[in-house]
Amino acid sequence: MKKWIGLAAVALSATLVLCSCSGGQNKDADQPAGAEQQTAETTEAPVDLSLYKKPAEVVKLDLSKEDPSNDEMRFVYDDEGRVSQCYYNIEDEEIYVNYKYEDGAVQIYAFIRAVVVADERIEISEYSADQGFTEINGYYFKGVTAK
């Protein structure tokens, strides 16, 4: 009798496992989570690469100010006081510029949405807190000059 109860329990367990694996599937089972959102994002208009202009070509700033950020352009600074990020708009598209300082140079990456629209390396002097803002090759910097 115990063997029959054990066999019945095993058979019931196997049946439940098989039903849960094959049953309840829907037509979207092969779609990854968030697929609806991915589909919506892919219908967005492609980025117009010709839209990109360097910050100094779009917004003229008063470089004598400690922080020339204004309604048209906003800066973020790193721990040393150097510009690390810059945000501005061109025709309702937000431009994001990232500054990565390394070995006497800065690597600049600019983005429209998630698309890289600029990738430049600029040789610069050592950082000096006494130097204010300057424009080098169309980008704004604080505390450095061009080499």
Side-chain angles (χ1 to χ4, degrees), residues 58-130:
V58 177
V59 180
K60 298 298 178 198
L61 298 174
D62 179 357
L63 300 181
S64 65
K65 292 183 177 180
E66 179 70 24
D67 180 355
S69 295
N70 59 29
D71 292 340
E72 297 176 272
M73 187 167 291
R74 180 173 59 91
F75 295 103
V76 176
Y77 305 93
D78 66 12
D79 293 340
E80 293 183 41
R82 304 173 298 191
V83 173
S84 63
Q85 300 170 15
C86 175
Y87 296 88
Y88 57 100
N89 289 311
I90 299 175
E91 295 182 24
D92 295 326
E93 288 281 7
E94 182 176 64
I95 311 298
Y96 163 68
V97 181
N98 182 292
Y99 296 65
K100 183 179 178 190
Y101 296 88
E102 51 191 25
D103 302 325
V106 62
Q107 189 68 40
I108 295 178
Y109 301 99
F111 300 87
I112 298 177
R113 295 184 228 147
V115 177
V116 176
V117 293
D119 178 355
E120 297 185 46
R121 183 176 173 86
I122 300 173
E123 301 294 319
I124 56 171
S125 67
E126 291 294 317
Y127 174 74
S128 171
D130 296 333

Side-chain angles (χ1 to χ4, degrees), residues 42-59:
T42 57
T43 60
E44 192 174 298
V47 172
D48 179 1
L49 300 178
S50 68
L51 187 67
Y52 177 70
K53 291 181 178 58
K54 296 176 181 182
E57 296 171 352
V58 177
V59 180

Side-chain angles (χ1 to χ4, degrees), residues 34-45:
E36 294 161 8
Q37 182 179 6
Q38 290 174 352
T39 303
E41 289 176 8
T42 57
T43 60
E44 192 174 298

Side-chain angles (χ1 to χ4, degrees), residues 1-12:
M1 178 81 167
K2 289 182 183 179
K3 288 182 182 180
W4 285 108
I5 293 173
L7 281 172
V10 169
L12 181 61

